[in-house]
Structures are given as C-alpha cells and as structure tokens.
Amino acid sequence: VHTEAVQAALAKHKERKMAVPMPSKRRSLVVQTSMDAYTPPDTSSGSEDEGSVQGDSQGTPTSSQGSINMEHWISQAIHGSTTSTTSSSSTQSGGSGAAHRLADVMAQTHIENHSAPPDVTTYTSEHSMQVERPQGSTTSRTAPKYGNAELMETGDGVPVSSRVSAKIQQLVNTLKRPKRPPLREFFVDDFEELLEVQQPDPNQPKPEGAQMLATRGEQLGVVTNWPPSLEAALQRWGTISPKAPCLTTMDTNGKPLYILTYGKLWTRSMKVAYNILHKLGTKQEPMVRPGDRVALVFPNNDPAAFMVAFYGCLLAEVVPVPIEVPLTRKDAGSQQIGFLLGSCGVTVALTSDACHKGLPKSPTGEIPQFKGWPKLLWFVTESKHLSKPPRDWFPHIKDANNDTAYIEYKTCKDGSVLGVTVTRIALLTHCQALTQACGYTEAETIVNVLDFKKDVGLWHGILTSVMNMMHVISIPYSLMKVNPLSWIQKVCQYKAKVACVKSRDMHWALVAHRDQRDVNLSSLRMLIVADGANPWSISSCDAFLNVFQSKGLRQEVICPCASSPEALTVAIRRCGYGRLGNHSGRGVLSMHGLTYGVIRVDSEEKLSVLTVQDVGLVMPGAIMCSVKPDGIPQLCRTDEIGELCVCAVATGTSYYGLSGMTKNTFEVFPMTSSGAPISEYPFIRTGLLGFVGPGGLVFVVGKMDGLMVVSGRRHNADDIVATALAVEPMKFVYRGRIAVFSVTVLHDERIVIVAEQRPDSTEEDSFQWMSRVLQAIDSIHQVGVYCLALVPANTLPKTPLGGIHLSETKQLFLEGSLHPCNVLMCPHTCVTNLPKPRQKQPEIGPASVMVGNLVSGKRIAQASGRDLGQIEDNDQARKFLFLSEVLQWRAQTTPDHLLYTLLNCRGTIANSLTCVQLHKRAEKIAVMLMERGHLQDGDHVALVYPPGIDLIAAFYGCLYAGCVPITVRPPHPQNIATTLPTVKMIVEVSRSACLMTTQLICKLLRSREAAAAVDVRTWPLILDTDDLPKKRPAQIYKPSNPDTLAYLDFSVSTTGMLAGVKMSHAATSAFCRSIKLQCELYPSREVAICLDPYCGLGFVLWCLCSVYSGHQSILIPPSELETNPALWLLAVSQYKVRDTFCSYSVMELCTKGLGSQTESLKARGLDLSRVRTCVVVAEERPRIALTQSFSKLFKDLGLHPRAVSTSFGCRVNLAICLQGTSGPDPTTVYVDMRALRHDRVRLVERGSPHSLPLMESGKILPGVRIIIANPETKGPLGDSHLGEIWVHSAHNASGYFTIYGDESLQSDHFNSRLSFGDTQTIWARTGYLGFLRRTELTDANGERHDALYVVGALDEAMELRGMRYHPIDIETSVIRAHKSVTECAVFTWTNLLVVVVELDGSEQEALDLVPLVTNVVLEEHYLIVGVVVVVDIGVIPINSRGEKQRMHLRDGFLADQLDPIYVAYNM
C-alpha cells in the first residue's frame, strides 16, 4: 500500500520541477571507481549568446537521464521558461526523455502487478528497468593557477566560467521555489530578533467525537487446575511428567542441539537455587539472600542454560535481571546497562560456561570490569560445576505474592536503561491472561524466534510455556541469519501449533522463499506477530499471507499483538475469530490528521495515508483507555489519538529505584472532561499511541519514544522509516538499517534520517535515492527532512540483536563522529521560523537625530587623543620638517649612537647601524640613483628587499636623492608563480622608474622561473645595492614644501584590493612625533620589532621611528620565527626590552609553537616581567581569543596580562590607536551579537547568550580626532551606536595613488564632511565599523577616557536577510563546532552563504562537518548556510598581516581551483 503511495507521490513531483545540485567529492572519498559516479556536471554558466568561454560544455549524464546541454538549461532557468526540456524525473539537473520513459515503466509495473498488492516487501517487478544512458563527452581544461586573483573576473555577480557557479546557480533556482505558507505571529527571542512561532493552522482538523469510555477485557476465568505460582507449576510438571520435552535448542545448521525435559529443568533449577543461596560467600555471611538481585548473562543461542538459571532464581527467591552479553568493553549501550546493574545493587552475575570463556579477560585471567559496571562475581550455572543439594534441602514454594519476581530492562529514547519490576503475582496473572487469550493447552508445541530474555519471547517462550507444560522450539538469531526460512521449516517439522515471530522474520522468509514443495503451515493455529504495532508490520503480514496461503496458512492464524516493557502484553488478536466473520480491522487513516492527533478515515487523498491493522482486543482482566499524550491525563475523544493506558494486575509496578519516574508512568489517574478520575485504581502508561476502535479493537499508530514534534505537528519515526523504505528500498539501503530521530536546532525539532548504504551503489544512485526520499516524505508527511545521511554498510552502532542503536547513532551525529559517505541537508525547506528579514526604516532627518540624542541624554560619539599643541616636550627633532634632516642632525650630534640591530634566526646580531653609518650608506645610495639611474627628483623607486638594514638605508638614500620610495615585499623563491605577479603589479601601478634590490633578488627577478610567471622584459631599470659607489653626493636634496610626497605605502586589503596611499613629509613627521609621545620613546630606549616592514605601522616602526626619536630598534624578521619560534621572546628578554611590537601571525606562531615549551623556556632564563607594552599591529577587530591565550600562556614567564594590547590603522590613516605607555589599560566589553546585526550596540553581561567580547583597539594617538558616522547618510551618530569610524589627524594619508586616478573614490575616502552637525571639518573615512564608549577610567589629563572598539571592515561585512554580518563572527562559531575544523572562511555569492572549512583529520570526517556547521550557524546567527566546502589545511589564503583573503578564496572557489575534499549544497 505504502509503496504505491510513495511511487505516486514521486510521479507527482515530476511535474513540480526541483533541481538539486549533486555534491562534489574528492576522488579519494569515493568508493566507486566508475567514472560517472563522481564527475559533476561541468559546465560554463553563461548562455551561448553571451559569448561563452567554452563552446563544448558537457553535462555528465545522471542515471535515468540523457545528458543535455547544460548551458541551454541554465539560460532557460535564468530566463524563467518552463518548457518540457527542463523537467526532469526527480532531482536531476538534466533532461527529460529518459525520465518520462522511466515514469511509464513505473506506471505499467503497477498496473500489471495488481494480482498481489504491491508493498514494501515485493521487490520483484515484472519489468526490469533499464534505461539507455548516453555517455557525456568529457574534455579536460586546465584552470589558471589558484591565487592569481587578477586573472579572474568575479565582479558583482559576473560568474567565472566554472562548474561551481553553475551548481550554485542551480541551487539558487531551486531555492526560489515558494516556501511553506507565510506565518504571521512571532515570539520575541530576548529582544527584537524575532523568531517566528508556528501559529496553529486555522484549517487543522480537530477531534469532534464524544469522550471515549474505558474498554474492559473479558473476565480472567480462573481455571481449577491453574497453579498457585509458576514455581509450583514447574514442580508439578517436573515430578508428574519429567520426560516431557520443555525446550529444544538448535545449532546453526538447524539441527536439534539439545532437548531440555521438565524433569531436568526442575532438578537443575533446584541445584542452581541451592548453590546461589548456600555456596556464595560464607555460612555466616552469604553473598546472596532472598530478595537480592542477580544478573543473568546468557548468549542468544543458549536458551536452556538461561531457563535453568531463571527458574533457579525464582526458586531461591532472588530477583533475576536478564541482560545482554557484553561483547566488548565499550559496546553500544553496555555502559547504561552497567548503571542499571549498579542501581539494582547487583553483585553476582550468573552465566554459562561457553559465555564465561568468551568474555574478554585480563592477562591474569580475571574478567575486567566493564565500563560503568559494578564489580561482579561471575558464577557459572552448568550442572557439573555445582554441588548437589543435600537430601533434606527443598526450595520453599509459596503462592504468588507481591514480592518482585524479575526485572526486565528497557532502553529509553535518550539511551538510558531502566529496569521494570514485575511482581510474582503480576507474573502469574500475565501467564494466565496469555493462556486464556491464546487458548494454550497442555503439551502444545510452539516455535519461538524472538529474544527469550525479554518481552514477548520471555513471556511466551519461557514463562507461559512452563505454566502449560508446552514444548518450545527455540530458533537462535544466528540460525535466522544463515537460513531465514528455518522457523517455517521447524513449524512443518514439529507440526507446531503456535509460532512467535517479528515482521522482519516474515519479511526475510519471503525474500528467501523459493517455492519449497514440502512447506505446510496447516498445523499453525496462531502466528503471533510481536511487533504488530509497527506501521510496516501490516505489509509484512499481507505479503506473507499472500505467498503462504497456498501452503496451508489460514488468514485468521495471523495474530498481531502490542506490548510494552511497562504494561507487558497490551493487546493481542485472538485466534480463530476469522471464522465468525471479519473480526480483524483495518484503518486507512489520513496522515495529515494523525500529525494533529486526530483520526480521520481518508477517502479522497490517496497518497498520504497510514494503513493500520488492529492488534486485537484488550487482555483478559484488564481495562484500557487512551489519554492525551501531554499535560493532564484527560480521556481522549473517540476520534483522537492518545497514549494507551492499562489497569490490570498483570503489569510492571515500577522502574526499579526511580520513584519519581515511576509515579508518572505507573500511576496515572485518567480524568474525564469534568476533571473526575475514572477509577480509584491507577492505570499504567504503555508508551504506545493509538485508539480503541469499533468492536473494542485496539489500534496502535506509534510509540511515544518515536514521536517528533516538528512545528507543532507530531510525526512518528517509524512512519518516516516506512516511507523511506518504500522508495526502491533494497537497491540502496538495507531494510533494517535506517535510523530516524530529531535534533533540536533553533527552537524546533528537525528530522534526521541516517541509513546504511549498500556497498555496490554508486554516488549517483545514492544521491538520486536521497532526493527521492526527501520528496516522498514531503508529499506523504508534509514535513521537511533536515538532514539525510548515508553511512557505509555495517557502521552504525548495533543493539545486541542487530537493530540500530538509536540514541548512540544520534550521539555520534551530534558530536560529528558518524562519518557518513553522503549527506544531503535541506535547511532551506525545513527551517521556517527564522526571524523576518530586517526592513530598513527610512532615515530620520538630521535635526531630529540631534534632538533625539539630546533628549535621551546621548552625546554625539566623538573622541580625540591628546592635543599636540598643548604638549611641552624637549623634542629636538621638531625643529626639522623632514626626516632626512633629522638623520643628518643625528649623524652630526650623536654619530656613534646605535639606531638599528638586526637579529638572525639564532638570536645573534646579524647587522647593526649607527647614526653615521646609516647617513653615509644613504649618501652612497643617493649617488647611485643619480648617476647610474639618472633619476630626477620626484621619481618613484621600488625597494624590493628582505626585512633588514638594507631596506632602511635604501629608503633614506631615496630621500637624500629626492626620489619617492615604495617598499615592496620580495617574491618568495619557493613560490615565484604566485608572489612575483604581485611584485610586478605594485611596480607597475606605482609607476616606479627604477627598482633597487640585493644581488640575490636581482638574479631571481631575471630567472627562468620569473620569466614563466611575468614578462621580465618590462621590468624598469634594476639597481643592485650590494656594490655601491665610493663617493658622496654634491648636495643632499631638500624638499621645497612639507606637503610634497615623502613615500608611497602599498598594501593588499583583505578584500583583495591593491591600494597605495600617498604620505607627505609633513604627515610622516607628524606620525613619528605622535608615536614618540604615545610610547615615550627617547634615545635611551630599546624597542623590539617583529613585523613585516612593507606597509602601514609596521613600516613606520621599522624604518622611520628610530631616526625620529633616536631609540634603538631591535629588528627581528618574522620569517626567522618559522625556524626558531622563541626568537622574538628570547630577544625581548635578553635585551630587557620594555616595549615590543608584533603581528598576529607572530603571536599565533608563538602560541602554537611554544605552547608546550614554557617550562624549558623558563629554564633557559626567559623573563618577560619587564615588558610594559606588547602591541599587536593590526588593521582589524582585535583577536581577543588569541591575545588572551597568549597572555595566559606566557603569564608564567612574567608577562603581565595588561601589557598585551593592539593597535588599529587602515589605509587612510596608518595608525589611529596605539596602546602606549601611560593611560588606562585596554578594556573589554560584551555586546549582543544580534543587536550588532541591526547596527546597534547593546552591552550585556559576560557569558550571556549571543554575547560577543570586543577589546578596545588601544588608545587614540595624540593629534587624532575620531567621530562615528552613519556610512549611508554621513550623519554623526550617538554614543554606543555602530557606525563608520571617521578620522581627522595631521598624519592622515593625503590620498590614494592609483594608476587610474579614480578621483571620485579618493575624494570620498579622504575628504568627507558630515551631512549635519560640524559640517566644516574634513574627515577621512576608514571603511571600518566601530563604536565609541565613554568608560569610567580617566585619561592622563584627567578626562573620562573614551574607548574605541573596532567591529569590522565595511567591505568584508555581508548583508544577509537585511542584516549586517561580520565574517569573523560566523567563522568563530564554525571553528568551535568540531574539533577537526582548524580554520574557516565565509563569503557570500548570489545571496548564498558559503562556508569554507579546513579539515585537520581524515577525509572520512569531511561529511561530519556539514550538519554541524549548518547547525551552529543557524543556532547562533539565524542564517542558513548555502554551501559547505571542506578543504585541506592551508587552502584559505592569508596575507602577511595574518588576515584571511576571503575574496581570493571566493575567486578560487568559483573558478574551481580549491581541490575541495567535499562540497555540499544545502537545499
């Protein structure tokens, strides 16, 4: 029934087009070797008329489809036409012919197969479906090498010709499909981030029936010869008919292994009872007393030993706790069983010889303590190991009473194990009720396939059988695996009257059944189906009857029953009723109604229905009713689904040792609508959901444990499994190997399906199967699946009898250790409760803002450093306008004062410069420029030097010659292909007339490798400064005007833009003075610098500050730290330095590289206690986690945590903030991340949800003024508002230097005015968002201190759903999501969020990351990730400042150059 519905649903989907891009996988991850399994459709994403790069575009065919021209498809998709060529059978991005053929074949299959109702179990269809599959032409093309961003045009939405963008386009088109109905109401999550609350659907069905009445089972008729207790029955049969067979066990060949007679059972049980009571411990202190609990650990193929031990316990009046054999020390769920044993106070475990030998042993032969288990004494119950009871000893046989008889374990939804206690009277009454309901008579033969340790197998095969002296043929699970027909053969062989099976046993018998001639099932009067309550049992029953009716099986023989550990047997169909007419019932219920807990017999909508069969009548002597599953236990109406509750003697009485949980489950007093209890006796919750239908027939539609409430509607895990299985089940996944559970993400449950994939299915097939499962579940259950994962065969955690261990699987999924081989996530379709996208309000007029801020007491956000004019200092260098003059003055007055010391990787001095040495060297370089270079004043000179002294000398040489220097990072000799083009570009863009460098680099620039990367013929004149002329220049150039250009500063921003700024002489001197004052630099000081000296503050500190202030700079090239990570800190300690500067990459190197070496460094005498300031030079939001871990790590070496701070600079002003020596310590605040997205700053307590720590970026430098302005309207903002940081200072750069002279861009960035308020001042826009906050601290000059907090670059910020997100926040969340994520970068493409994660682990873990990344971004940022890309370590490009180059990464991704391990496209 279900299969038909699913196929029809899928056919319906064919009209509704849906195209899911298939994930791309690295070859090493793909098990299959077939070519088409992993070639993703490789296409170019422009249509032909746009002049596509690649004429021959190829679409790799997808199974069941021909290949079509992808470009045509994309262009059609873009132009929104829906012609038949683009409709495809399910989720493929391909064509149609084959798809329609397939659909026709399917339709015929169903028409011709009508002789037997098609269902889950008939897999043999008359048509074999084979579809021609044309081969797609495959051409290879080499992509330009990754990292060369200039060669790719990405622009805004102009895609690179690549297969990735085609897939993304496909994804975008798919996501444009209409969503679920819009929802109007919201609840406020803490404040205005509104999460939608699912409103009840006004059209939802509501129960309309009358209130139900409790249903009574028939009277439990006490028969005269029923024994007063089960032990009494055993004694009776053991003495009257000792030769009668009690139990026959089978070996794996299906041969009878052993026959236990009633006589042997009686004598052996007595022996066990005697030994338990008298031979454990001492006479005075026996280990086990009556009423104590003992564990029974027996394997599934030894029911005889179990039975003897069980009855031995009953005779000794101790309480048996049957459990599974612990196979390994960390078996799935075995730890929880250990907790159960511990809580039951078990100290002894009874076991068989064979089992005891098989348990894991320590080298001394001891059985180790299993994880979570109490210490146990293992006691073997085989007769030969036991002593004979004395003649006069006899067990005490009483009538059944309220003592505990046994404890049955039950595994809950969350994996915890509880013990249900069953009293002796309940045990006996249950046996009587089963005997009456099943009509058992003496000496009947019964075949049992079920687990005899618990549930139906225990009740029929061990307990009730003894009460009636029946003969049980026990079939072990191991035999069923080898021969699924074995139970049917035994029924025939023994002419058994009754068989106890599960629907899977019927199913496998059908699959294995090949017209056996000699099968005759006419002896069966009852076939008990233990899991008759499962939704798929009905199809197994029907199919089984269908095939075996011809073999003597009668319809009325099939007796489904429902049971639960708490209520024992809840209901069972009586045998033989079939003759009286149709006493078995079926309900065809509307799935939609069921999700609201309402019973609706479905007539019109044939697709989404659940067909259920009854599980018979209420047990004799019991009363049943159904109550509302949540809230007050009110009786349900007649057309309402509720939890079935039973009131009877024959039930469990409590969860052992858990009185709180017991009260709720074992004592329910159902109420009528008026609030009166319906009975004075308590009822027991069965954990089953269902209703009592006409004629008192009980119907079960699901279990409480499997209930998933998704946006207010209830879905049953079993139903979803059944639907998934009905989609061509046997081809891709194993029948019993599907797990369905829900995980809570963003305030709602989300459905996850995990299935084991057959090893022979290709990527393509599995992906198609997954897409079809999603559609089927969507059609039939009207619910979206959040995540569908396939794992390799046999990798899911198993329960002892081979089922899937659900809670363990869920645990693995959530911790990211499931290792799926395929994942499909559909957050776009499932997550319907995201906050509404933010609507930007029209801006309020300027005047009202001013008034508003005044009224609310907000001051306009502005702040400034100390006023340069006010500071009296004996600064000799101030007399000079130009740095070149300062150097000449120092060379005359203090010629031998040391200015620079360069260290090598061993920490020894490689080179040093005094004032006069630097002056003389600069003179020689000036001569060289004039004579060999014939340069005029004002010409630009590129300085391509490694970090060191040569660079400094060359810089001052340029100033002496009147040239304008540009410092350029030299190409990396191991990576010329990617680093040299950047050098070439800067040289060209800066219009350099000459290039100065060392001899070594000179050779490199003209080498063969260089010629392969760039055109070496177009280099300007290259001068090598290793051999300098010996003469001095006639005169040293002196600029005419301080506003002329001193040098150019080029840098690549994080967005991949190359920007050069002009620094005038006046700005350069002002810059040096500001730093001198802030850091209190004098000639007697020493400063250690571990920075790249090519741009920004790093260059100024390395080359300029020492000459201006006269302090000694100890220069440590950051590249040397790669060989010796401790170099910088050892130098700081050795030279007793008080002030040091580094970059984030240096700090990270130290934190990662020296983390474990602090002890040995301490031993080497490393002491950081003198450090006053350790400043990280940066152009980004302070990386608080890194600075904090650095401080913590080196605290033991004397580093004061207050010393670590950051600076902030940008292109328009190379240093705005710098901590400096005086002034308050840097402060940290916690802001609400959700408010930030709305450009608001809301301070919260540390540790509150959604809080983000921000550290102040250092003190504002002297002479710098800052204001926070609205980047759109350019109006000033109030305190604590997020806006763009604008800066006014004497050391602002004077403009961009670009080859295009893009004036409009420049004028805006460097000369902006506020739109109201102070409209006179000229500000430079930094391009960074931040806010000012007045703190409680006081400045050096006694004012309240204003702290500047930088949040992030405007260019980097992503606008999604109308809100502003900073990539770093999302990245931080993602890095926390799984231990194997080392780095992460995010960017957007066509409004999709793309997350790239670097995986540090095996490639098998790659797919684990997809759900975790999606979950964490949803939970913390309310965003749905569009694409998850898993790459190797080191793929995310990072610039010299340690900042991620997200735009380069984006270009590389779109041009398909990342070689990702896995790319997942979320639906």
Side-chain angles (χ1 to χ4, degrees), residues 725-740:
L725 281 178
V727 181
E728 315 175 65
M730 300 301 286
K731 270 197 213 152
F732 305 104
V733 293
Y734 290 110
R735 178 183 168 98
R737 314 292 302 152
I738 295 189
V740 172

PDB file of all heavy atoms in Angstrom, residues 725-740:
ATOM      1  N   LEU A 725      11.690   3.477   3.238  1.00  0.00           N
ATOM      2  CA  LEU A 725      11.914   2.123   2.729  1.00  0.00           C
ATOM      3  C   LEU A 725      11.131   1.862   1.464  1.00  0.00           C
ATOM      4  O   LEU A 725      11.505   1.018   0.657  1.00  0.00           O
ATOM      5  CB  LEU A 725      11.491   1.106   3.788  1.00  0.00           C
ATOM      6  CG  LEU A 725      12.505   0.893   4.898  1.00  0.00           C
ATOM      7  CD1 LEU A 725      11.957  -0.088   5.898  1.00  0.00           C
ATOM      8  CD2 LEU A 725      13.805   0.372   4.325  1.00  0.00           C
ATOM      9  N   ALA A 726      10.005   2.572   1.319  1.00  0.00           N
ATOM     10  CA  ALA A 726       9.166   2.291   0.152  1.00  0.00           C
ATOM     11  C   ALA A 726       9.755   2.885  -1.124  1.00  0.00           C
ATOM     12  O   ALA A 726       9.297   2.592  -2.211  1.00  0.00           O
ATOM     13  CB  ALA A 726       7.769   2.838   0.391  1.00  0.00           C
ATOM     14  N   VAL A 727      10.785   3.733  -1.006  1.00  0.00           N
ATOM     15  CA  VAL A 727      11.412   4.298  -2.212  1.00  0.00           C
ATOM     16  C   VAL A 727      12.486   3.323  -2.669  1.00  0.00           C
ATOM     17  O   VAL A 727      13.574   3.316  -2.127  1.00  0.00           O
ATOM     18  CB  VAL A 727      12.054   5.662  -1.901  1.00  0.00           C
ATOM     19  CG1 VAL A 727      12.674   6.246  -3.152  1.00  0.00           C
ATOM     20  CG2 VAL A 727      11.023   6.610  -1.346  1.00  0.00           C
ATOM     21  N   GLU A 728      12.170   2.484  -3.644  1.00  0.00           N
ATOM     22  CA  GLU A 728      13.103   1.459  -4.155  1.00  0.00           C
ATOM     23  C   GLU A 728      14.047   0.992  -3.061  1.00  0.00           C
ATOM     24  O   GLU A 728      15.249   1.221  -3.144  1.00  0.00           O
ATOM     25  CB  GLU A 728      13.970   2.053  -5.263  1.00  0.00           C
ATOM     26  CG  GLU A 728      13.217   2.859  -6.253  1.00  0.00           C
ATOM     27  CD  GLU A 728      14.195   3.478  -7.223  1.00  0.00           C
ATOM     28  OE1 GLU A 728      14.840   2.718  -7.946  1.00  0.00           O
ATOM     29  OE2 GLU A 728      14.333   4.701  -7.234  1.00  0.00           O
ATOM     30  N   PRO A 729      13.529   0.333  -2.062  1.00  0.00           N
ATOM     31  CA  PRO A 729      14.328   0.144  -0.864  1.00  0.00           C
ATOM     32  C   PRO A 729      15.576  -0.680  -1.079  1.00  0.00           C
ATOM     33  O   PRO A 729      16.660  -0.223  -0.829  1.00  0.00           O
ATOM     34  CB  PRO A 729      13.376  -0.573   0.066  1.00  0.00           C
ATOM     35  CG  PRO A 729      12.216  -0.969  -0.743  1.00  0.00           C
ATOM     36  CD  PRO A 729      12.226  -0.250  -2.013  1.00  0.00           C
ATOM     37  N   MET A 730      15.427  -1.908  -1.574  1.00  0.00           N
ATOM     38  CA  MET A 730      16.536  -2.835  -1.439  1.00  0.00           C
ATOM     39  C   MET A 730      17.747  -2.445  -2.265  1.00  0.00           C
ATOM     40  O   MET A 730      18.804  -2.997  -2.116  1.00  0.00           O
ATOM     41  CB  MET A 730      16.097  -4.242  -1.846  1.00  0.00           C
ATOM     42  CG  MET A 730      14.980  -4.746  -1.011  1.00  0.00           C
ATOM     43  SD  MET A 730      15.457  -4.789   0.710  1.00  0.00           S
ATOM     44  CE  MET A 730      16.522  -6.198   0.669  1.00  0.00           C
ATOM     45  N   LYS A 731      17.567  -1.495  -3.179  1.00  0.00           N
ATOM     46  CA  LYS A 731      18.704  -1.189  -4.043  1.00  0.00           C
ATOM     47  C   LYS A 731      19.810  -0.455  -3.310  1.00  0.00           C
ATOM     48  O   LYS A 731      20.975  -0.674  -3.560  1.00  0.00           O
ATOM     49  CB  LYS A 731      18.233  -0.305  -5.202  1.00  0.00           C
ATOM     50  CG  LYS A 731      17.796  -1.095  -6.401  1.00  0.00           C
ATOM     51  CD  LYS A 731      17.764  -0.178  -7.601  1.00  0.00           C
ATOM     52  CE  LYS A 731      16.642  -0.615  -8.526  1.00  0.00           C
ATOM     53  NZ  LYS A 731      16.122   0.481  -9.303  1.00  0.00           N
ATOM     54  N   PHE A 732      19.444   0.472  -2.437  1.00  0.00           N
ATOM     55  CA  PHE A 732      20.465   1.373  -1.906  1.00  0.00           C
ATOM     56  C   PHE A 732      20.743   1.192  -0.441  1.00  0.00           C
ATOM     57  O   PHE A 732      21.821   1.445   0.018  1.00  0.00           O
ATOM     58  CB  PHE A 732      20.036   2.826  -2.117  1.00  0.00           C
ATOM     59  CG  PHE A 732      19.740   3.081  -3.538  1.00  0.00           C
ATOM     60  CD1 PHE A 732      18.454   3.186  -3.982  1.00  0.00           C
ATOM     61  CD2 PHE A 732      20.785   3.150  -4.436  1.00  0.00           C
ATOM     62  CE1 PHE A 732      18.206   3.375  -5.312  1.00  0.00           C
ATOM     63  CE2 PHE A 732      20.535   3.346  -5.766  1.00  0.00           C
ATOM     64  CZ  PHE A 732      19.246   3.450  -6.206  1.00  0.00           C
ATOM     65  N   VAL A 733      19.701   0.805   0.320  1.00  0.00           N
ATOM     66  CA  VAL A 733      19.938   0.732   1.753  1.00  0.00           C
ATOM     67  C   VAL A 733      19.395  -0.601   2.235  1.00  0.00           C
ATOM     68  O   VAL A 733      18.528  -1.192   1.616  1.00  0.00           O
ATOM     69  CB  VAL A 733      19.231   1.872   2.502  1.00  0.00           C
ATOM     70  CG1 VAL A 733      19.840   3.190   2.150  1.00  0.00           C
ATOM     71  CG2 VAL A 733      17.761   1.874   2.220  1.00  0.00           C
ATOM     72  N   TYR A 734      19.946  -1.053   3.355  1.00  0.00           N
ATOM     73  CA  TYR A 734      19.479  -2.301   3.925  1.00  0.00           C
ATOM     74  C   TYR A 734      18.212  -2.032   4.715  1.00  0.00           C
ATOM     75  O   TYR A 734      18.108  -1.035   5.398  1.00  0.00           O
ATOM     76  CB  TYR A 734      20.559  -2.855   4.839  1.00  0.00           C
ATOM     77  CG  TYR A 734      21.749  -3.331   4.070  1.00  0.00           C
ATOM     78  CD1 TYR A 734      22.959  -2.664   4.118  1.00  0.00           C
ATOM     79  CD2 TYR A 734      21.639  -4.456   3.254  1.00  0.00           C
ATOM     80  CE1 TYR A 734      24.046  -3.114   3.392  1.00  0.00           C
ATOM     81  CE2 TYR A 734      22.723  -4.905   2.526  1.00  0.00           C
ATOM     82  CZ  TYR A 734      23.920  -4.236   2.606  1.00  0.00           C
ATOM     83  OH  TYR A 734      24.991  -4.687   1.878  1.00  0.00           O
ATOM     84  N   ARG A 735      17.290  -2.987   4.646  1.00  0.00           N
ATOM     85  CA  ARG A 735      15.965  -2.748   5.191  1.00  0.00           C
ATOM     86  C   ARG A 735      15.974  -2.351   6.661  1.00  0.00           C
ATOM     87  O   ARG A 735      15.374  -1.374   7.050  1.00  0.00           O
ATOM     88  CB  ARG A 735      15.121  -4.001   5.018  1.00  0.00           C
ATOM     89  CG  ARG A 735      13.731  -3.825   5.617  1.00  0.00           C
ATOM     90  CD  ARG A 735      12.940  -5.100   5.496  1.00  0.00           C
ATOM     91  NE  ARG A 735      11.741  -5.023   6.308  1.00  0.00           N
ATOM     92  CZ  ARG A 735      10.553  -4.710   5.839  1.00  0.00           C
ATOM     93  NH1 ARG A 735      10.410  -4.427   4.587  1.00  0.00           N
ATOM     94  NH2 ARG A 735       9.505  -4.674   6.634  1.00  0.00           N
ATOM     95  N   GLY A 736      16.664  -3.092   7.499  1.00  0.00           N
ATOM     96  CA  GLY A 736      16.537  -2.788   8.925  1.00  0.00           C
ATOM     97  C   GLY A 736      17.479  -1.691   9.371  1.00  0.00           C
ATOM     98  O   GLY A 736      17.609  -1.420  10.544  1.00  0.00           O
ATOM     99  N   ARG A 737      18.194  -1.077   8.409  1.00  0.00           N
ATOM    100  CA  ARG A 737      19.302  -0.230   8.827  1.00  0.00           C
ATOM    101  C   ARG A 737      19.029   1.242   8.571  1.00  0.00           C
ATOM    102  O   ARG A 737      19.832   1.928   7.963  1.00  0.00           O
ATOM    103  CB  ARG A 737      20.594  -0.649   8.095  1.00  0.00           C
ATOM    104  CG  ARG A 737      20.844  -2.126   8.070  1.00  0.00           C
ATOM    105  CD  ARG A 737      21.160  -2.739   9.402  1.00  0.00           C
ATOM    106  NE  ARG A 737      22.311  -2.154  10.045  1.00  0.00           N
ATOM    107  CZ  ARG A 737      22.476  -2.110  11.349  1.00  0.00           C
ATOM    108  NH1 ARG A 737      21.548  -2.595  12.145  1.00  0.00           N
ATOM    109  NH2 ARG A 737      23.552  -1.582  11.871  1.00  0.00           N
ATOM    110  N   ILE A 738      17.843   1.688   8.987  1.00  0.00           N
ATOM    111  CA  ILE A 738      17.553   3.122   8.860  1.00  0.00           C
ATOM    112  C   ILE A 738      17.227   3.667  10.239  1.00  0.00           C
ATOM    113  O   ILE A 738      16.444   3.059  10.968  1.00  0.00           O
ATOM    114  CB  ILE A 738      16.355   3.380   7.926  1.00  0.00           C
ATOM    115  CG1 ILE A 738      16.697   2.950   6.512  1.00  0.00           C
ATOM    116  CG2 ILE A 738      15.980   4.846   7.920  1.00  0.00           C
ATOM    117  CD1 ILE A 738      15.678   3.362   5.486  1.00  0.00           C
ATOM    118  N   ALA A 739      17.855   4.780  10.592  1.00  0.00           N
ATOM    119  CA  ALA A 739      17.554   5.409  11.882  1.00  0.00           C
ATOM    120  C   ALA A 739      16.924   6.762  11.612  1.00  0.00           C
ATOM    121  O   ALA A 739      17.414   7.513  10.769  1.00  0.00           O
ATOM    122  CB  ALA A 739      18.833   5.590  12.677  1.00  0.00           C
ATOM    123  N   VAL A 740      15.838   7.054  12.309  1.00  0.00           N
ATOM    124  CA  VAL A 740      15.206   8.374  12.182  1.00  0.00           C
ATOM    125  C   VAL A 740      15.092   8.958  13.589  1.00  0.00           C
ATOM    126  O   VAL A 740      14.614   8.288  14.496  1.00  0.00           O
ATOM    127  CB  VAL A 740      13.802   8.263  11.552  1.00  0.00           C
ATOM    128  CG1 VAL A 740      13.079   9.598  11.616  1.00  0.00           C
ATOM    129  CG2 VAL A 740      13.914   7.803  10.109  1.00  0.00           C
TER     130      VAL A 740
END
